[in-house]
DNA sequence: TCGACGATTTAGGTATACCTAATAAGTAGG
DNA sequence: CCTACTTATTAGGTATACCTAAATCGTCGA
């Protein structure tokens, strides 16, 4: 039995499958395809099928799986996925606020540590941080009970008319992009004016009270979630 | 390739073998037997032989191994072992000082996390703690360069005459024992008077300025390292 | 010097989590 | 309603790190 199984009982790999299904299933928790999972996790589709069958066939199944019809999380699977997301986001917040990490480095560290911290560690950093509800990228931190509000924001690429918005959150998975965006002032909480859409689904914007126009690529715009602002 | 390989390149298991060889080899760095390793790591002797052959046969061998003659660390192996010990002891210090863990809980958490933290994490907690040189159990923390002073202390079971001592360090691997000892005031830095040896290699002592005699079992005495004190 | 006995190694096998190549199932266009 | 094509699954393999049982090796006492 080589692969580390945590107190919890499942391996790091299993955790990662559950998180990916949670994330790809979206707020509607719709079924996720093998291909989408394969791409997200960077493994071959055949490996996905294997793992899903194992997860679905356990005594306490973590997913509901039907051949050729994708998967969704079981309630046990969802519980564990949210637990891991809670760990991830608390760790990110801790690294940023207490250990003064640069914003673009917190994700990779959290991605590893999320699987290995104890409940005590989780509880202690949460307490130290004053039980935060939002992580440094603007994402909700699931509660200890596994509750997480649905995201009300929209992706910047979905904006049709121009207007003024608040940046709700920024995707943290690509450190390069995150660092570049942050250097332009694009981070959770900042104000953002959308001038117009550009070719190839890009976006011309300005940030804060600056008048300088920024031309965001489609990739960058896709990493930014915003909410309309009254003023 | 299932088993997590860190930035460093070796797996958690490999790290644990290296640490065990460092610890069992003692300050003299003498050869360690398969049996001793099997017992320390809780795996079958056959598994030890397997792993040692693999470690010795790598392009950059981590151990020097000769059939039937035990192993010692190569210089690369020693470097990595000390790096992991540094992680372990820094993490313990951090958990104790910053996250207010009870002393008996730091070891198990550190035992897991030591393999997964980045160099950045190591550097940041070291800085936060003011670059400590001693962990909460009284053990030296290896430097970033992999230097660690040899222990000058002796084990309480080795005392022949009675006398007054300072507690240098307390073994941290058994949480139960550690908690019990701490409850009696037996912890690094405390003053300890040895009255006399008892049957079965136990020890009759008193702690601090208390006159109350404590009867330590051989097991407990074996976990305590002391240094003679002038006064 | 010869066993006996314990220590160690070899042989053969398991589980996890991957992979590639071959096959089968869905799905949409004609 | 039947291909052509894409998506998914099955089949067969690899590496890590374990295990048990069956050899062997080394040493120590007679
Ligand atoms: Mn993240
Ligand atoms: Mn938790
Ligand atoms: Mn420890
Ligand atoms: Mn390090």
């Amino acid at each position: 039995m080589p692969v580390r199984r945590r107190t919890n009982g499942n391996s790091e790999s299993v955790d990662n499958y559950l998180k990916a299904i949670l994330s790809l299933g979206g707020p509607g928790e719709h079924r996720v395809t093998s291909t989408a999972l394969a791409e997200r996790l960077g493994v071959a589709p055949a490996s996905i099928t294997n793992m899903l069958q194992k997860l679905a066939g356990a005594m306490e199944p973590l997913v509901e799986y039907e051949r050729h019809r994708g998967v969704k999380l079981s309630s046990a699977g969802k519980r564990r996925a949210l637990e891991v997301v809670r760990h991830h986001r608390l760790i990110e917040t801790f690294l940023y606020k207490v250990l003064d990490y640069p914003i673009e480095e917190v994700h990779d560290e959290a991605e590893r540590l999320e699987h290995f911290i104890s409940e005590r560690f989780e509880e202690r950093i949460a307490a130290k941080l004053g039980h935060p509800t939002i992580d440094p990228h603007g994402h909700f931190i699931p509660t200890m009970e596994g509750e997480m509000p649905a995201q009300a924001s929209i992706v910047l690429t979905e904006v049709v008319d121009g207007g003024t918005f608040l940046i709700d959150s920024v995707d943290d998975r690509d450190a390069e992009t995150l660092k570049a965006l942050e250097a332009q002032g694009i981070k959770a909480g900042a104000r953002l004016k959308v001038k117009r859409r550009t070719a190839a689904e890009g976006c011309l914007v300005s940030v804060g009270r600056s008048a300088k126009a920024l031309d965001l690529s489609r990739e960058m715009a896709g990493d930014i979630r915003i909410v309309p602002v009254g003023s």
Side-chain angles (χ1 to χ4, degrees), chain A:
Chain A
M1 313 83 178
V3 174
R4 169 144 230 150
R5 225 179 286 89
R6 274 80 22 72
T7 322
N8 162 55
N10 25 54
S11 68
E12 182 182 0
S13 263
V14 169
D15 275 358
N16 287 331
Y17 276 80
L18 298 178
K19 269 207 313 178
I21 297 166
L22 181 72
S23 160
L24 294 170
E29 301 183 27
H30 48 261
R31 309 186 85 84
V32 175
T33 65
S34 294
T35 312
L37 279 169
E39 175 150 340
R40 170 66 73 103
L41 295 172
V43 302
S47 305
I48 300 288
T49 301
N50 258 271
M51 180 63 100
L52 296 183
Q53 290 174 343
K54 204 193 66 177
L55 296 180
M59 311 125 306
E60 207 201 7
L62 293 165
V63 302
E64 288 167 33
Y65 164 74
E66 286 173 86
R67 281 176 94 250
H68 294 280
R69 313 197 61 257
V71 262
K72 50 185 301 234
L73 295 173
S74 71
S75 69
K78 187 180 174 191
R79 194 184 325 122
R80 177 59 188 168
L82 284 166
E83 162 84 357
V84 179
V85 170
R86 175 172 166 81
H87 288 189
H88 182 100
R89 294 180 179 171
L90 278 174
I91 292 169
E92 287 188 340
T93 310
F94 184 74
L95 296 175
Y96 188 67
K97 295 261 188 85
V98 177
L99 296 186
D100 299 310
Y101 268 55
I103 185 80
E104 73 273 13
E105 283 187 29
V106 301
H107 177 80
D108 286 352
E109 189 92 44
E111 196 68 32
R112 263 177 295 111
L113 298 182
E114 64 188 4
H115 311 288
F116 304 108
I117 66 171
S118 66
E119 290 307 290
R120 167 138 263 154
F121 191 98
E122 172 193 336
E123 182 264 310
R124 285 297 153 100
I125 62 177
K128 187 120 214 149
L129 293 164
H131 301 282
T133 59
I134 310 256
D135 81 10
H137 308 108
H139 299 122
F140 289 118
I141 299 172
T143 65
M144 222 135 61
E145 292 74 36
E147 305 288 338
M148 180 170 60
Q151 246 179 338
S153 54
I154 58 169
V155 177
L156 180 47
T157 49
E158 288 164 357
V159 172
V160 277
D161 312 312
T164 303
F165 302 86
L166 276 181
I167 297 176
D168 172 70
S169 57
V170 180
D171 192 288
D172 58 339
R173 281 172 301 167
D174 183 60
E176 285 299 306
T177 306
L178 186 56
K179 187 177 182 183
L181 289 174
E182 215 239 359
Q184 313 274 198
I186 295 179
K187 58 185 177 203
R191 178 177 302 252
L192 183 137
K193 276 204 190 73
V194 178
K195 313 269 204 222
R196 62 179 175 75
R197 309 304 309 279
T198 62
E201 305 190 54
C203 206
L204 200 67
V205 305
S206 67
V207 184
R209 52 199 155 302
S210 156
K212 195 176 59 169
L214 280 174
D215 193 354
L216 299 176
S217 67
R218 185 177 75 116
E219 202 224 324
M220 284 185 160
D223 281 351
I224 301 164
R225 299 191 70 104
I226 55 178
V227 290
V229 68
S231 96

